[in-house]
Amino acid sequence: MLVVASPVEVRELSRCARKSGRTIGVIPTMGALHDGHVSLVRYARADCDFVIATIFVNPTQFGPNEDFSRYPRTLEADLELCRSAGADLVFTPDVTQMYGPTAQTSVRVSKLSLPFEGAHRPGHFDGVSTVVAKLFLITEPDRAYFGQKDYQQQLIIRQMVIDLDFGLQIVTCPIVREPDGLAMSSRNRYLEPDDRRIASEIFQTLLLAESLALTSNLTASQISVRMQERLRSIEGMELSYAEVVDEATLEPLTDRPLEAVALIAVRVGTTRLIDNMRIRFSNQSP
Ligand code: AMP
C-alpha cells in the first residue's frame, strides 16, 4: 500500500492505474478511522481495481468554535486499517498541500446545504463540497464511496457531481453501528461513559420513527413531534433537530409518503451527534 502526501503524485498514480485499464475508487475521510470507514474501503475494494482512501482533516469545514484542533488524529492506526481493508493508496496531504496561500475558490451546493446541518453549522457544507471536489479532481475516480451516516452530505455531493459534470458514480454505503445501535463516529471517543449510554437513545428514537411509520397512521410531521418529545425527555441530551423529511429534497413532509428519511442531531455533553434512518410507511391513511 502506497502512502502519498503530494496531490500531483496521487494524480499521476491514478492516471497510471487508469492507463493500465483499472477502475478507480476513492473513499474521502478525515481519519480517526473506525469500522464504518473500513466498510467503505471494503465496498470500494469489491467494486474497483485501484482503491484510494484519503485522510485529511479539512479545516474549512469546521466552524470557529468547532473541534478542528482537537479532532482525533491517529494516522498510524488509520494506515493499518486501510491496509487490512485492502486500500492500494492512502492520500495524506497536509493543509498547505490542499490550500495554497492565495486560495479563493469554493463550491457551494446552494439549496441542499441550507437546512439541518447547514443551518447549525454555517459554511460547513461549502467546506465539504469544496474539498470533495478537489479530492475528485486529484484522484479522478470512477466511483466515490460515502456513508449514509452523513445523509445530507451524500445528497449534496450527488448534486455537485451532477451539476459540475464530474462524470463519476457516488455509492452510498449503510451505516455501521455499535452493538447498542449508536452509529460509529470518530467523535464517539469524546463521549464520557454516562454520555455514551445516553447517546444510544438516538438509535432507539429512529426505531420508534420506523415503527410508527409502519404500524400507526400518524403523518410524517406527527412522527417528527413524537421523536422530538422522546429526545427532549432524555436528561443530558440537547435536541438540535429530529425530523422526518423527503429523502431527496430534505423538505418537510406533512402526509404519509411511501418512503422518507428520519434525521436526528443532538448534543450530548460537548459532542454533537447525527444519525438517520430511511423509513417506509405502511399504506394506512392518516
Ligand atoms: P468522516 O471521516 O467522518 O468525514 O467520514 C468519512 C466517510 O465515512 C463519510 O462518507 C461518512 O459518512 C462515512 N462514515 C462515517 N461514519 C460511518 C458509519 N458509522 N457507517 C458508515 N459510514 C460512515
Side-chain angles (χ1 to χ4, degrees):
M1 186 182 77
L2 296 163
V3 181
V4 181
S6 150
V8 172
E9 217 176 299
V10 166
R11 187 182 285 120
E12 264 166 25
L13 287 162
S14 168
R15 286 185 179 173
C16 192
R18 180 174 304 286
K19 262 199 200 130
S20 64
R22 291 191 276 176
T23 55
I24 295 149
V26 70
I27 307 100
T29 82
M30 297 205 300
L33 302 186
H34 50 66
D35 286 352
H37 299 111
V38 169
S39 76
L40 304 186
V41 179
R42 291 194 202 283
Y43 280 110
R45 180 73 281 162
D47 286 352
C48 306
D49 303 316
F50 191 67
V51 173
I52 307 174
T54 76
I55 297 179
F56 178 59
V57 185
N58 175 36
T60 68
Q61 69 189 71
F62 288 79
N65 299 318
E66 292 185 0
D67 55 347
F68 174 68
S69 54
R70 73 163 182 152
Y71 196 84
R73 286 158 172 90
T74 57
L75 185 61
E76 283 315 308
D78 292 350
L79 294 178
E80 204 36 60
L81 285 173
C82 287
R83 190 174 291 118
S84 63
D88 296 301
L89 168 62
V90 183
F91 177 39
T92 56
D94 63 29
V95 174
T96 56
Q97 282 165 312
M98 288 297 278
Y99 300 106
T102 62
Q104 49 195 298
T105 306
S106 75
V107 177
R108 169 172 295 175
V109 178
S110 54
K111 211 167 156 194
L112 277 169
S113 295
L114 289 178
F116 300 109
E117 286 309 281
H120 286 84
R121 304 180 67 188
H124 167 67
F125 284 126
D126 294 355
V128 170
S129 43
T130 304
V131 79
V132 171
K134 286 168 68 66
L135 292 169
F136 287 170
L137 291 166
I138 293 165
T139 59
E140 299 183 346
D142 299 280
R143 300 191 190 92
Y145 295 79
F146 290 85
Q148 185 193 320
K149 161 78 168 43
D150 297 276
Y151 191 87
Q152 187 173 6
Q153 170 175 284
Q154 56 86 36
L155 281 185
I156 287 168
I157 300 302
R158 283 173 181 277
Q159 190 66 48
M160 178 186 80
V161 164
I162 293 168
D163 293 349
L164 297 185
D165 299 301
F166 271 102
L168 60 89
Q169 186 193 348
I170 300 298
V171 182
T172 303
C173 305
I175 301 173
V176 176
R177 298 181 178 282
E178 301 286 356
D180 67 353
L182 177 66
M184 289 194 179
S185 162
S186 306
R187 291 188 167 99
N188 289 352
R189 63 189 80 194
Y190 300 151
L191 295 169
E192 301 292 339
D194 280 352
D195 295 342
R196 175 65 191 76
R197 235 173 299 116
I198 293 167
S200 67
E201 294 292 333
I202 300 167
F203 182 60
Q204 294 306 319
T205 307
L206 291 169
L207 291 178
L208 169 72
E210 181 185 48
S211 102
L212 288 173
L214 273 180
T215 62
S216 80
N217 60 358
L218 295 179
T219 62
S221 53
Q222 288 168 329
I223 295 175
S224 301
V225 171
R226 291 286 189 90
M227 291 166 68
Q228 291 155 13
E229 284 169 355
R230 186 185 160 120
L231 292 167
R232 281 207 183 94
S233 74
I234 296 161
E235 209 175 315
M237 182 172 277
E238 188 191 317
L239 175 63
S240 186
Y241 56 78
E243 214 64 71
V244 177
V245 294
D246 184 278
E247 55 190 348
T249 64
L250 302 183
E251 279 164 9
L253 294 165
T254 46
D255 53 0
R256 288 177 58 81
L258 279 178
E259 289 179 337
V261 60
L263 302 176
I264 290 180
V266 296
R267 182 174 292 278
V268 181
T270 56
T271 309
R272 183 183 168 80
L273 298 170
I274 61 170
D275 200 350
N276 67 84
M277 188 180 282
R278 296 181 72 157
I279 59 176
R280 291 179 150 277
F281 286 73
S282 58
N283 56 1
Q284 304 173 52
S285 47

